[in-house]
Amino acid sequence: MTQHHPDSHSLMEYSAGNLSDPHALCIRLHLDQCDHCQSRVDTLDSLGAVLMEQQASVSVSADMFDHILARLNDEPEIPPMAVNKAGNALERLVQSDINDLPWKRQLADVSVLDISHLFPDQPEKVVLQKLAAGGKAPAHTHRGQETTIVLQGAFSDHKGVFNQWDFVVLDQEDTHKPIALEGPDCITLSVLSAPLKLTGTFTRLLNPFIS
Amino acid sequence: MTNSIRAIKATTGDRSVSTPNSTPNRADGKKDPWSQLLEKVGKSQDRQAYKALFEHFGPQIKYYAMANGLASHAEELVQEVFVSIWRRSCLYDWRKAAASTWIFTIARNQRIDILRKLKRTNAEITIETEDLWQIPGENDNEPVTSLHRLMAERRIRESLRHLPEEQVTVIAKVYMENKSHQTVANELNIPLGTVKSRVRLALGKLKVILQDQNT
C-alpha cells in the first residue's frame, strides 16, 4: 500500500496531458498500483470532458465525416489495439527486468543507469538507481526538482519510509541520507527537471541517493 | 433493449438528439445518451450513432485543437480522434467512464501524438503515448464499476457552475490550452502561488483533493 502520492497539481497536469514523457511515466507507474490516485485522475478526466463541452465549438468541414468513413472503408478490420501488454510501461521501455539492467556501480552500495536517451527531445535527465538492500547512500542535497518513484524494495530517510510505488518530490531544500531496507535491492526511477542552462560542471547525477 | 435506447435510435439524425442532455439519465445512474450511442458503435458498428457522436463532439474537439495551438492541424485531430473512436469502441464500457470522458482522453492522447510527431527530430519514438496516458476502461486491473465514476461528470458540471470565475479560468487554461501552472501565472500576471491556490480551491470544491501533503 503506497503512502506517498503525487499532489493534485501534478495529477491535474497529467490528466490535462501537459507533463513531459518522463514525468508522465512516473505518474503512470504510480497510478497502475494506486487505486486512490487512479480514482482522482478519473475525476480529473471527467473535469476535462466537462470543460471541453463548456468551451466554444467550431464547425468542421462539411465533407469531413465522409472522409472519415472513407478512411474506415480503406483501412478496415484493424484489430483493436492490444490491451494486455506484458509488464509495466518502464519494463517495456527498457525491455528487461529492472534487476538485470547493465547497472554502473558508483559507490559500494549504489549503482545507476542513465536512461535519458530513451526520451529523445525531452530536456529532463532520467535515471534509474539501485541501492543495495541494507545499503546507505551518503547525505546529499538536490539541485533543481527531482521526482522519484520507488520501483522495488524500500528506503528510509528522516522523512519516513518509502515503499514500492511511493512517489517523492525533492528539491534543493531537502537534504537526506537514504538507507535501503532489508529485502530486495531498492530500485528507483528519478526524473530531474533539468535547468535550461546545464553546464559542464553539472555532470554528477543528482538523485535521492547521491550528491 | 430499453425504451430509452430505442427512443435515441428513433430520433438519430434529428437535431434534438445533439443537445447535451446532461442530467436526466445520469441522475439515476443509468447510461447517458452519448454513452448509449457509443456503445452501439462498439457493439454493432452503428454508423448513425457514430454520426451523432461526430456531430456533437467533432466541433468541440476542433475547438480544443485550436485552443491548444494546433490550428493548422485541428481537422486532422478531429479525424484521428474519430478513427480512433471507431476502432476502440468495442473496448468501451459505460460502467467505467462516461462517453464524454472517454472521448476527452482519446482527444488528449491524439493531441499528444500529433505534438510528438511535429516535435520529433529524427529520433525514434521509444515509448507510446498510451503507455503513459491511459484511456479509462482499458486496463484489466480496474474495478468493473464504480458509482463514483458514473456520478463524477454530473457532480463536476454542477460544482463548476458555482466556482468563481477566476478559478474556472485557471483550470480551463490548464485543460483547454494545455498550459502549465507556471505559464498560466505568467499570462495572468499573478504569482505561481496564486495559481496553485486557485487550483487547490477549485479541486477542493470538486472533491478531487482527498488527501494532499505539502501542497
Side-chain angles (χ1 to χ4, degrees):
Chain A
M1 181 64 194
T2 54
Q3 302 271 336
H4 302 274
H5 306 276
D7 67 29
S8 298
H9 297 288
S10 307
L11 292 182
M12 182 171 167
E13 301 259 32
Y14 172 82
S15 164
N18 297 351
L19 294 181
S20 66
D21 289 356
H23 279 115
L25 175 62
C26 291
I27 299 270
R28 177 62 193 268
L29 291 169
H30 179 80
L31 293 181
D32 282 349
Q33 305 293 332
C34 180
D35 292 343
H36 166 68
C37 289
Q38 180 62 59
S39 121
R40 293 158 84 197
V41 168
D42 290 337
T43 306
L44 286 162
D45 288 346
S46 290
L47 173 62
V50 172
L51 285 167
M52 189 163 85
E53 177 192 285
Q54 291 187 351
Q55 303 286 311
S57 45
V58 182
S59 359
V60 296
S61 321
D63 57 356
M64 193 200 288
F65 190 68
D66 292 334
H67 277 299
I68 293 171
L69 289 185
R71 263 186 75 180
L72 297 178
N73 286 333
D74 291 347
E75 316 161 26
E77 300 312 317
I78 291 183
M81 294 120 203
V83 178
N84 301 311
K85 299 177 182 173
N88 64 36
L90 178 73
E91 286 161 344
R92 288 198 292 277
L93 182 65
V94 298
Q95 299 181 338
S96 162
D97 182 297
I98 52 174
N99 289 284
D100 302 332
L101 291 166
W103 291 101
K104 295 191 175 54
R105 178 169 297 225
Q106 284 210 332
L107 296 166
D109 291 330
V110 181
S111 304
V112 300
L113 185 65
D114 189 328
I115 57 167
S116 307
H117 64 281
L118 295 175
F119 299 89
D121 309 325
Q122 307 275 338
E124 292 95 346
K125 199 166 186 62
V126 188
V127 183
L128 288 163
Q129 313 178 82
K130 184 164 72 168
L131 187 55
K136 292 178 186 167
H140 62 277
T141 56
H142 304 86
R143 276 184 261 178
Q145 194 182 67
E146 195 176 275
T147 301
T148 295
I149 180 164
V150 181
L151 303 172
Q152 174 182 296
F155 75 87
S156 69
D157 66 12
H158 65 287
K159 283 194 172 170
V161 174
F162 295 85
N163 289 297
Q164 193 180 31
W165 311 120
D166 272 343
F167 195 92
V168 200
V169 178
L170 296 167
D171 61 25
Q172 48 269 52
E173 309 290 309
D174 299 297
T175 301
H176 74 161
K177 194 174 173 182
I179 299 172
L181 302 193
E182 293 300 334
D185 294 341
C186 179
I187 299 180
T188 60
L189 170 68
S190 290
V191 178
L192 177 67
S193 298
L196 285 175
K197 35 187 181 192
L198 275 186
T199 68
T201 58
F202 196 83
T203 49
R204 300 193 66 179
L205 297 177
L206 301 172
N207 51 55
F209 297 157
I210 306 169
S211 62
Chain B
M1 188 181 270
T2 67
N3 285 331
S4 60
I5 293 180
R6 241 182 261 128
I8 289 283
K9 188 172 187 177
T11 56
T12 301
D14 182 340
R15 271 281 160 205
S16 64
V17 86
S18 284
T19 311
N21 180 6
S22 52
T23 36
N25 285 320
R26 183 69 70 152
D28 52 9
K30 295 263 174 59
K31 285 178 260 191
D32 66 291
W34 307 117
S35 302
Q36 292 175 19
L37 290 170
L38 182 53
E39 203 167 49
K40 287 167 74 162
V41 175
K43 281 194 177 144
S44 51
Q45 288 80 50
D46 183 327
R47 293 198 173 198
Q48 267 198 316
Y50 186 55
K51 188 167 190 189
L53 290 169
F54 175 79
E55 284 173 352
H56 179 68
F57 290 102
Q60 291 179 18
I61 294 164
K62 185 167 176 186
Y63 178 82
Y64 174 72
M66 294 172 76
N68 273 297
L70 279 178
S72 50
H73 299 268
E75 298 234 321
E76 179 189 345
L77 181 74
V78 179
Q79 279 208 28
E80 292 304 323
V81 171
F82 273 88
V83 168
S84 184
I85 287 173
W86 181 266
R87 298 214 171 115
R88 290 172 170 277
S89 54
C90 58
L91 303 172
Y92 174 70
D93 182 343
W94 67 275
R95 294 167 301 177
K96 292 182 176 176
S100 52
T101 299
W102 190 79
I103 290 172
F104 166 75
T105 60
I106 289 182
R108 174 198 65 197
N109 284 17
Q110 292 292 335
R111 173 186 64 83
I112 293 168
D113 262 353
I114 289 181
L115 283 174
R116 293 173 108 195
K117 277 180 209 146
L118 294 174
K119 213 168 82 171
R120 180 164 34 170
T121 47
N122 47 14
E124 206 178 314
I125 286 183
T126 50
I127 193 159
E128 289 176 35
T129 303
E130 267 144 43
D131 279 338
L132 301 177
W133 280 276
Q134 193 190 347
I135 309 293
E138 297 189 9
N139 181 345
D140 266 1
N141 304 330
E142 287 174 68
V144 167
T145 185
S146 142
L147 190 59
H148 172 82
R149 287 180 195 206
L150 293 175
M151 301 305 284
E153 275 190 29
R154 178 168 163 257
R155 206 188 61 217
I156 285 169
R157 205 172 271 118
E158 280 164 10
S159 310
L160 265 182
R161 220 175 284 146
H162 302 294
L163 287 187
E165 184 72 29
E166 59 175 31
Q167 290 172 20
V168 179
T169 303
V170 168
I171 42 181
K173 276 186 182 292
V174 172
Y175 271 93
M176 294 304 294
E177 301 174 26
N178 295 99
K179 295 193 164 126
S180 69
H181 288 26
Q182 183 64 61
T183 312
V184 173
N186 297 347
E187 270 195 14
L188 298 176
N189 203 17
I190 52 177
L192 178 60
T194 306
V195 171
K196 287 198 165 186
S197 75
R198 287 181 190 175
V199 168
R200 195 160 53 239
L201 286 168
L203 295 185
K205 285 184 207 137
L206 298 171
K207 297 195 170 60
V208 173
I209 297 182
L210 302 175
Q211 150 188 11
D212 254 12
Q213 306 125 343
N214 310 321
T215 54

